[in-house]
Amino acid sequence: MTAPTLEIENISKFYGNINALQDITTSVDAGKVTCVLGDNGAGKSTFIKILAGAHKQSEGTIRMDGEEVNFNSPRDALAKGIATVYQDLAMVPLMSVWRNFFLGAEPTKSFGPFKWIDVDTAKRVAKEEMAKMGIDIRDTEQPVGTLSGGERQSVAIARAAYFGAKVLILDEPTSALGVKQSGVVLKYIVAARQRGLAVIFITHNPHHAWPVGDRFMILNRGRSLGNFAKDEITRDELVTMMAGGAELEELTHELESA
Amino acid sequence: MKKFKWLAIVMAFGLLASACGDSGSSNDNAADTSTTAAATTAAPVDQTQGGDLTFYMITHSDDGPFWSVVKRGAEAAASNLGVKLVWQGSNNDPEKQVQDIEAAVSAGASGIAASLPSPDALVPPLQAAVAAGIPVITLNSGVNDYETIGALTHVGQTEIIAGEGAGKRFNDAGAKVLLCGTQEQSNVGLEERCKGAENTFNGKVITQFMGGDADQASQQATINATLAADPSIDAFLGTGPVIAMSGLRAAQDLGRTLAIGGFDITPEIIDAIEAGDVSFTVDQQQYLQGYMPVLLLYLNVTNQNTLGGGLPILTGPGFVTPDNAAAVKALVAAGTR
Amino acid sequence: MSDENSTAVADATSDERLAYRGVFQRLLVRPEIGAIIGAIAIWIFFWAVSVPFGTAGGASNILDLSATLGIMAVAVSMLMIGGEFDLSSGAATGALGIATILLVKDTGALGGAGLNMSIAIPLSLALALFIGWFNGTMVERTSLPSFIVTLGTFFILKGAKLGISKLVVDQIQVGRIDEGAGYSFWRKIFASEWQRNDHQFGSRDFFYTLGIVGGFALLVLAVHEYNYARRKVLNNAGAALTAVAFAGGIAGIVILHATDNTGGNYLGGIVIAVSTLVGLFGFGWWRFEPVAQRGNLHIDQQVSKSFGLGLGLVALGAISAVTLDSASSSDFFLLITEQGLRAMLFVGLTSAGITFMIIGVRQASTTNPLTKSTGLAVLATTIAAIAFLVRSESASPKFRGAAFSLLLVGALLALSWAVTSSCFEERRFAHTAADNTGRLLALVGSLMVLGGAVVRLLFTTAAEIERGISPAKFSVRIVWFLSVAGVATWVLGRTKFGSWTFAVGGNKDAARQVGVPAARTKTQLFMIVSSAAWLVGLLLAFRLNTLQSGTGDGLEFEYIIAAVVGGTMLTGGYGSAFGGAIGAVIMAISKAGIPFSGWNSDWRFVFLGGILLLAVIANNFIRDKAEASR
């Protein structure tokens, strides 16, 4: 068996005397989805920032394809193949789909000292790549702001895939969306998985995680409550763990007796 | 000298550190002169006659090119007469001017000359000075209030009369339709210049606002449009030197020959007058507004003379025309016109 | 407008929500479209009110006014798209002009550095770039709003201008750039002028007419290509009909030119009108699918409201034209003559009426083709009626000739649109080949119209000079203006830097996230503005020879206003450089129109304010409409 695309071993992060994360271990393979579940304050955002290169872990190692890596900056992480899609920061709403798709990495043509964007190529590629995600964008001139929330996420996912990301980190892509739109995004996650990306899907919703995930890691107060493959856990167990498990039972008991 | 100026250009434009020289420094100057008093006079003061007299000239001066000429006039008079002069400029701050007047009264001034840009604030302290037995003369602005104060007289130019002088000049040039262009809206002085021209000019006068001096290109285009709309216009009076030059350029663009007049002096307009492109510019002769009050105060204090018979003494309109342009140019360079 | 239809189509073909946008909706989302319509409307308004406004002299005046304002407005638009302001831009124009003069001025009595211009001009450009770099770096390093930082720079520059001028030359004016070494060469670059009366062009009007008529014909065909669904197999009978009609049209033009009496003119006009209608029908029959369902006439409340309001306003305009005295030149109310008031009322009311009727047509088009074409027919009849009213009521040849024929052409267009829209099926999906043909036709058509207009404005005829029109002088600054606007439009639309500008203004964090160097982009934008200020400073210095220390102070707000009028959003991320240029033209037309009309200038700012408010409201309205209909 080959090494997983991304392997996280005993990662901890301390801010002064606060343990934001402690001894987190999980992994994700190419063409698989690892879901990281956790409530607010569970340490999800610290976890993302370490993987995206914005922060450095205090302890532990990260390996990509079996080799240890260190990220110095978000750009560094991006260059090594880790693309992060943040929920709010994904797009420039007033710009067209194709400009957003290629923003920061526009294809150019040149003549002498003059360089300009190869608009036809950019439009064609954006359309093709979106089609691979299952979206038919007829007019790539359309501003991203007029797309639905789910479609916006999909543009970001398609962009990450096109620019050679091996690992795709999705930060709460469904949390601000309605039921139907969330379903659309889950479809895109599956599409990304089928294209061979290793996906880390961060969410607080076990119902969104269960249908797409191959591996589940539950965070609570900076600690891992477990790191399960899909056949090691049932949907109900996952829901119960996320809902607070023993704590919730205690609370129910307390409320009933009152 | 050249090196120093060159350095200054680089410093203020480039390093931006030395650049707040505008409003900050003028206050310093005013404070400076008020303490060093007549020491600012270039020539040594002759103390033999009237050396115990100290006259205060308290104006709203901003130390710009206009007021620096007034100041030179006053200093020359003080030097010639051998009296002390205290020059105080308030940079358009009535509050400071009031304080300066009150300070002059308590310092026991022999006479006060003051400009009255805001009469409501300045009349009471000057009345107090008159009540204290100090002779007062108003200069530059204050023609409507010098009698209320009880001042000896007023030395200055009234805008109406200056405009009337300009109107007569255009009659002599044989003009029929005069366009009077202003560079500020709701400035009473500029409106009066045009009204004065209307009083004496025999033909029709059209008064229009043409846009400010900060945007000369737009000013010129507006004059150009006004001229194009009315081919009968054959004379242009600009109520300032810059707008007069804009009028000249607009007329040249249209290929029209107009009689052109302006107000006040800049090197540019004098060159144009010398070349014959502009007929005249109205000159306030502000040197007199500095020189005369000091002289009149001196004669009043030493000899109980009064001049003007209760009427204001007008320093203008003087005219710069092609005949005297060359001479005036030299005097401008010397700083007395 | 067609919200329901478009979603319906989208739902039918796929599960996502991107609908096809027709040519007009595409056009409407361009940020500068409101400004272009506004500019044309204000121009027509003053053309109607003032005699010399529509001549080459008027055009040169407006362009001259637009040039310096426009160069700055274009640069400021770019900066505002990037989400920042530069309040020092106005003062910088004067500062850089004065700096250049001081650098070239010979030493001697008045001081200066005495450099050759070929050294001084690049040196002042370097100073400009430094000012821009300083602004940008300060904004980025301190994270303070650019409003505050550049306000500081503004005061520094304003003070420096005065301080340095007085220190070096002891004047508040710095002058005589013409004494500098190398003046004659650099003058050609910054202050060449062409007196157009020297350039007579006998057949000017032929080329003008050809450009306008041919160009509009192509534009109409382009709209057809965009608007209607293509047939699978072309219908050759339609092509033959078009050819016949084309021949008829040429015959009509020949009749119009050969005869000089009213009867002949009407005959020519009728022949042209009929062949245009037949020709357009033939063209459609040749290429497009016939309409599937024409429907029944269905006038809902909205449509009847719009048409009622429109017809009422037109009637009111007509009544005021008939009742007020056309010959009276006595002052009527504060600022204008009765004659002027009549022209204003008539033009204002009828154009407002026609606008409401166009809105009504758009509303009718959501119901069915028959209702839409009925609306268009009513519109065409109204325009024709206005044309004949103008002809009978007006004494001036301008109205009896140009306005009359223009209105008739408008009526003809509306009528032919009524015919085609009831005959052919509208396209509600993209068709690459048809869209490309449409784009090509539209491009060639616009270029022809533009060429015709340019020929008309740049050349004079012997007859006109005999009539004594005021001469036109075109300055090289117009060339600078057009080049700057063109280059900026290209840079914004077609380069990485342009994309990054929109991105940092629209969502800076997202831009950073994908690797756009936000700080560098913004600093470069500030440097573009200060370089534009350098160019304007030099244009002013070479034009005026002497600069006041106050030159440019306070004009930064005019630049910002021009940018906003041109459709750039104050909050950044949206707009166009070309729009800024158009905004400057609007301001220039409003400024020049008042003296051209001989109105009392006391009301100038009231008028200017009104125009600007209208422009911005219209902009917003159009943008909202466009966004709602996508």
Side-chain angles (χ1 to χ4, degrees):
Chain A
M1 191 183 154
T2 54
T5 307
L6 185 70
E7 206 175 351
I8 296 135
E9 204 178 302
N10 296 328
I11 291 273
S12 299
K13 177 74 190 174
F14 310 123
Y15 295 106
N17 57 356
I18 298 165
N19 297 358
L21 278 182
Q22 203 162 357
D23 288 338
I24 306 298
T25 301
T26 189
S27 64
V28 58
D29 291 309
K32 296 277 190 250
V33 177
T34 294
C35 298
V36 176
L37 290 121
D39 203 354
N40 294 338
K44 284 180 298 178
S45 56
T46 309
F47 183 69
I48 296 166
K49 278 174 183 158
I50 289 171
L51 290 187
H55 288 337
K56 229 175 148 51
Q57 72 271 24
S58 309
E59 285 172 7
T61 48
I62 301 174
R63 279 191 288 272
M64 281 186 80
D65 296 325
E67 282 185 32
E68 188 171 340
V69 287
N70 281 302
F71 305 130
N72 300 316
S73 70
R75 279 194 88 102
D76 191 25
L78 197 62
K80 285 175 175 146
I82 297 192
T84 311
V85 176
Y86 293 97
Q87 190 200 340
D88 306 326
L89 304 180
M91 296 280 123
V92 184
L94 283 167
M95 287 175 79
S96 64
V97 171
W98 71 266
R99 276 183 196 272
N100 264 298
F101 192 93
F102 281 100
L103 189 59
E106 291 84 353
T108 54
K109 288 200 259 194
S110 65
F111 179 81
F114 300 104
K115 248 187 173 177
W116 64 92
I117 300 178
D118 186 352
V119 176
D120 291 335
T121 307
K123 282 187 182 173
R124 184 175 46 77
V125 171
K127 202 175 148 101
E128 285 169 8
E129 291 298 311
M130 294 299 287
K132 284 187 199 163
M133 298 294 301
I135 302 183
D136 176 22
I137 299 249
R138 290 201 190 85
D139 185 1
T140 49
E141 278 288 356
Q142 185 134 0
V144 159
T146 60
L147 300 183
S148 68
E151 285 161 345
R152 269 183 244 185
Q153 298 282 342
S154 77
V155 178
I157 295 170
R159 176 170 70 190
Y162 176 74
F163 285 108
K166 286 188 247 168
V167 181
L168 184 65
I169 302 173
L170 301 169
D171 177 22
E172 297 270 7
T174 59
S175 69
L177 301 179
V179 176
K180 200 176 164 194
Q181 285 297 324
S182 297
V184 173
V185 171
L186 295 179
K187 260 168 62 186
Y188 301 143
I189 293 175
V190 173
R193 180 179 69 183
Q194 279 164 357
R195 291 179 66 182
L197 271 80
V199 180
I200 297 182
F201 173 27
I202 287 143
T203 181
H204 62 259
N205 191 333
H207 301 287
H208 289 162
W210 181 257
V212 296
D214 300 299
R215 175 171 286 281
F216 303 92
M217 201 258 290
I218 299 107
L219 280 176
N220 188 19
R221 299 188 175 207
R223 287 165 190 275
S224 171
L225 293 187
N227 181 20
F228 309 98
K230 195 162 191 172
D231 50 15
E232 294 168 3
I233 191 169
T234 67
R235 183 189 187 117
D236 288 340
E237 280 168 6
L238 190 66
V239 172
T240 318
M241 277 180 116
M242 253 315 285
E247 286 170 41
L248 190 69
E249 254 168 49
E250 212 168 279
L251 184 68
T252 316
H253 190 67
E254 219 170 275
L255 290 171
E256 277 171 354
S257 63
Chain B
M1 199 58 197
K2 182 188 170 191
K3 238 181 190 171
F4 166 68
K5 281 170 181 169
W6 171 233
L7 187 69
I9 297 172
V10 173
M11 274 179 67
F13 276 107
L15 299 174
L16 302 149
S18 66
C20 292
D22 170 26
S23 53
S25 69
S26 56
N27 281 337
D28 298 346
N29 274 351
D32 251 10
T33 41
S34 63
T35 49
T36 57
T40 48
T41 320
V45 176
D46 183 355
Q47 299 282 346
T48 50
Q49 41 168 239
D52 54 341
L53 295 178
T54 305
F55 295 130
Y56 285 73
M57 190 164 274
I58 302 163
T59 66
H60 61 286
S61 160
D62 55 358
D63 288 336
F66 181 91
W67 283 102
S68 55
V69 175
V70 176
K71 187 177 172 186
R72 282 197 193 96
E75 283 168 351
S79 161
N80 290 348
L81 298 168
V83 297
K84 271 191 197 163
L85 173 77
V86 179
W87 168 270
Q88 287 173 317
S90 73
N91 197 16
N92 296 311
D93 177 4
E95 171 101 15
K96 180 179 185 306
Q97 227 184 323
V98 170
Q99 289 162 355
D100 287 345
I101 292 168
E102 284 165 352
V105 172
S106 41
S110 317
I112 296 175
S115 65
L116 256 68
S118 27
D120 290 344
L122 295 168
V123 166
L126 286 173
Q127 279 173 330
V130 172
I134 300 170
V136 171
I137 289 181
T138 58
L139 66 120
N140 184 262
S141 46
V143 69
N144 299 320
D145 297 285
Y146 74 96
E147 288 177 298
T148 326
I149 293 167
L152 301 177
T153 185
H154 171 83
V155 181
Q157 169 187 261
T158 70
E159 304 295 2
I160 291 261
I161 288 174
E164 285 173 349
K168 284 181 199 152
R169 291 249 156 199
F170 285 116
N171 286 339
D172 297 344
K176 299 276 179 294
V177 181
L178 170 65
L179 176 63
C180 188
T182 65
Q183 70 275 29
E184 272 177 61
Q185 265 185 324
S186 42
N187 177 323
V188 183
L190 302 186
E191 299 270 325
E192 282 185 351
R193 288 175 176 181
C194 289
K195 274 206 190 104
E198 220 170 325
N199 290 345
T200 54
F201 185 64
N202 292 331
K204 183 180 164 199
V205 176
I206 305 163
T207 301
Q208 292 279 44
F209 167 62
M210 299 297 180
D213 286 349
D215 191 358
Q216 281 185 69
S218 155
Q219 203 175 52
Q220 182 186 333
T222 309
I223 299 171
N224 182 308
T226 316
L227 294 176
D230 189 348
S232 70
I233 294 171
D234 56 2
F236 178 76
L237 175 63
T239 55
V242 173
I243 190 173
M245 292 305 293
S246 296
L248 173 63
R249 286 191 197 96
Q252 283 172 342
D253 275 359
L254 289 173
R256 303 237 300 249
T257 316
L258 306 184
I260 292 174
F263 277 83
D264 301 333
I265 291 180
T266 56
E268 194 189 12
I269 197 166
I270 291 185
D271 285 345
I273 292 170
E274 215 177 355
D277 295 330
V278 172
S279 315
F280 66 87
T281 188
V282 180
D283 181 12
Q284 296 213 22
Q285 309 190 97
Q286 68 269 32
Y287 187 78
L288 290 173
Q289 295 179 5
Y291 197 99
M292 291 310 290
V294 175
L295 179 62
L296 295 175
L297 285 172
Y298 176 78
L299 290 171
N300 183 270
V301 173
T302 57
N303 208 28
Q304 291 295 311
N305 285 134
T306 56
L307 190 65
L311 294 174
I313 296 167
L314 301 181
T315 60
F319 291 93
V320 182
T321 61
D323 298 333
N324 64 1
V328 171
K329 197 173 175 180
L331 294 171
V332 169
T336 59
R337 282 298 285 263
Chain C
M1 289 297 116
S2 51
D3 234 354
E4 293 158 39
N5 291 350
S6 46
T7 18
V9 171
D11 283 348
T13 52
S14 82
D15 61 346
E16 44 75 27
R17 311 198 308 178
L18 300 183
Y20 173 68
R21 292 183 298 151
V23 54
F24 292 109
Q25 274 161 1
R26 269 168 199 254
L27 212 58
L28 282 175
V29 292
R30 300 286 315 155
E32 65 273 8
I33 196 73
I36 291 177
I37 295 171
I40 294 172
I42 300 173
W43 193 88
I44 290 176
F45 179 79
F46 279 116
W47 173 83
V49 176
S50 154
V51 176
F53 187 80
T55 63
S60 75
N61 193 305
I62 293 165
L63 286 174
D64 199 60
L65 261 176
S66 315
T68 46
L69 175 59
I71 290 170
M72 291 308 295
V74 165
V76 166
S77 294
M78 290 179 78
L79 180 65
M80 280 169 65
I81 291 168
E84 303 292 342
F85 291 98
D86 186 355
L87 297 189
S88 70
S89 52
T93 59
L96 291 162
I98 287 175
T100 313
I101 298 179
L102 287 178
L103 286 172
V104 299
K105 242 180 122 65
D106 202 358
T107 51
L110 291 180
L115 295 174
N116 187 294
M117 275 187 201
S118 306
I119 299 166
I121 287 174
L123 213 57
S124 61
L125 177 60
L127 177 60
L129 292 173
F130 172 79
I131 293 174
W133 175 85
F134 176 81
N135 276 336
T137 311
M138 288 295 281
V139 168
E140 281 306 316
R141 285 277 158 81
T142 60
S143 305
L144 286 169
S146 53
F147 211 75
I148 299 298
V149 171
T150 57
L151 190 66
T153 322
F154 162 72
F155 280 122
I156 291 172
L157 287 176
K158 184 180 151 103
K161 277 191 292 185
L162 186 67
I164 304 273
S165 303
K166 284 180 67 181
L167 185 68
V168 180
V169 298
D170 199 23
Q171 290 283 345
I172 53 165
Q173 279 192 330
V174 178
R176 309 303 313 228
I177 199 173
D178 59 350
E179 287 168 357
Y183 174 75
S184 55
F185 169 75
W186 288 98
R187 206 199 111 81
K188 280 185 204 133
I189 293 174
F190 291 113
S192 293
E193 281 173 340
W194 300 279
Q195 189 80 38
R196 289 318 298 182
N197 284 27
D198 308 342
H199 295 68
Q200 294 180 20
F201 185 26
S203 41
R204 178 195 75 175
D205 287 348
F206 171 74
F207 282 100
Y208 164 65
T209 316
L210 187 74
I212 298 284
V213 171
F216 268 105
L218 290 183
L219 282 176
V220 167
L221 296 187
V223 170
H224 275 68
E225 287 289 344
Y226 274 123
N227 228 16
Y228 297 111
R230 274 196 183 179
R231 274 180 195 269
K232 300 240 158 33
V233 185
L234 294 178
N235 179 342
N236 289 329
L241 192 62
T242 312
V244 172
F246 189 68
I250 288 179
I253 293 174
V254 169
I255 296 173
L256 205 60
H257 265 270
T259 58
D260 209 18
N261 58 345
T262 320
N265 280 349
Y266 280 134
L267 179 66
I270 289 166
V271 170
I272 290 174
V274 170
S275 34
T276 306
L277 281 179
V278 173
L280 279 178
F281 175 75
F283 183 76
W285 202 29
W286 174 34
R287 300 181 71 86
F288 306 121
E289 209 61 71
V291 71
Q293 257 188 331
R294 200 162 290 152
N296 295 319
L297 194 59
H298 171 79
I299 299 165
D300 62 17
Q301 213 179 355
Q302 260 191 329
V303 175
S304 56
K305 210 190 270 175
S306 300
F307 269 93
L309 205 58
L311 285 169
L313 285 171
V314 170
L316 218 59
I319 290 167
S320 63
V322 175
T323 43
L324 289 168
D325 186 1
S326 65
S328 156
S329 58
S330 65
D331 274 358
F332 184 86
F333 199 55
L334 303 163
L335 65 162
I336 40 167
T337 60
E338 187 173 339
Q339 195 181 348
L341 179 76
R342 176 173 177 269
M344 272 174 69
L345 277 180
F346 182 71
V347 175
L349 287 173
T350 46
S351 44
I354 289 176
T355 310
F356 271 106
M357 291 176 76
I358 291 173
I359 291 174
V361 167
R362 282 194 61 105
Q363 286 162 346
S365 68
T366 59
T367 51
N368 59 43
L370 185 69
T371 316
K372 181 183 179 183
S373 70
T374 313
L376 280 165
V378 175
L379 180 68
T381 319
T382 315
I383 298 176
I386 293 172
F388 281 97
L389 180 78
V390 164
R391 191 169 173 77
S392 70
E393 278 293 317
S394 179
S396 97
K398 188 166 69 183
F399 281 97
R400 293 175 66 86
F404 173 70
S405 17
L406 214 66
L407 282 168
L408 279 186
V409 169
L412 186 60
L413 277 180
L415 195 62
S416 48
W417 194 6
V419 170
T420 49
S421 70
S422 72
C423 291
F424 308 111
E425 185 67 29
E426 274 192 36
R427 182 151 61 93
R428 296 218 183 273
F429 48 88
H431 187 302
T432 318
D435 283 345
N436 286 342
T437 314
R439 193 175 304 135
L440 186 70
L441 285 172
L443 186 71
V444 176
S446 324
L447 284 179
M448 279 179 78
V449 171
L450 199 68
V454 166
V455 165
R456 177 84 170 76
L457 289 177
L458 284 191
F459 293 94
T460 42
T461 58
E464 274 183 330
I465 290 174
E466 233 161 81
R467 261 191 284 131
I469 62 151
S470 64
K473 202 180 211 179
F474 290 93
S475 152
V476 72
R477 57 171 58 190
I478 296 168
V479 178
W480 279 109
F481 170 41
L482 295 177
S483 330
V484 167
V487 170
T489 304
W490 181 77
V491 165
L492 274 184
R494 284 290 175 268
T495 66
K496 280 187 173 199
F497 179 75
S499 251
W500 296 353
T501 302
F502 281 101
V504 294
N507 187 345
K508 194 172 160 189
D509 293 328
R512 278 224 170 101
Q513 194 61 44
V514 295
V516 170
R520 197 177 78 200
T521 304
K522 288 201 175 189
T523 305
Q524 283 167 344
L525 286 169
F526 275 107
M527 288 165 84
I528 286 174
V529 172
S530 60
S531 308
W534 166 80
L535 175 58
V536 168
L538 284 178
L539 291 174
L540 288 176
F542 277 92
R543 152 84 62 100
L544 300 169
N545 205 15
T546 296
L547 288 183
Q548 310 290 309
S549 71
T551 299
D553 291 356
L555 295 186
E556 55 278 352
F557 286 106
E558 288 203 10
Y559 310 151
I560 293 173
I561 293 166
V564 173
V565 167
T568 296
M569 228 155 68
L570 276 169
T571 44
Y574 185 83
S576 80
F578 186 64
I582 299 290
V585 172
I586 289 189
M587 302 217 359
I589 294 177
S590 335
K591 274 189 187 175
I594 294 169
F596 266 120
S597 317
W599 293 351
N600 186 336
S601 62
D602 294 348
W603 299 86
R604 164 181 152 129
F605 285 113
V606 175
F607 186 83
L608 204 61
I611 293 277
L612 299 183
L613 265 184
L614 267 181
V616 176
I617 291 169
N619 247 333
N620 248 8
F621 178 77
I622 289 173
R623 191 162 58 220
D624 284 355
K625 279 275 168 220
E627 262 157 24
S629 64
R630 303 196 277 230

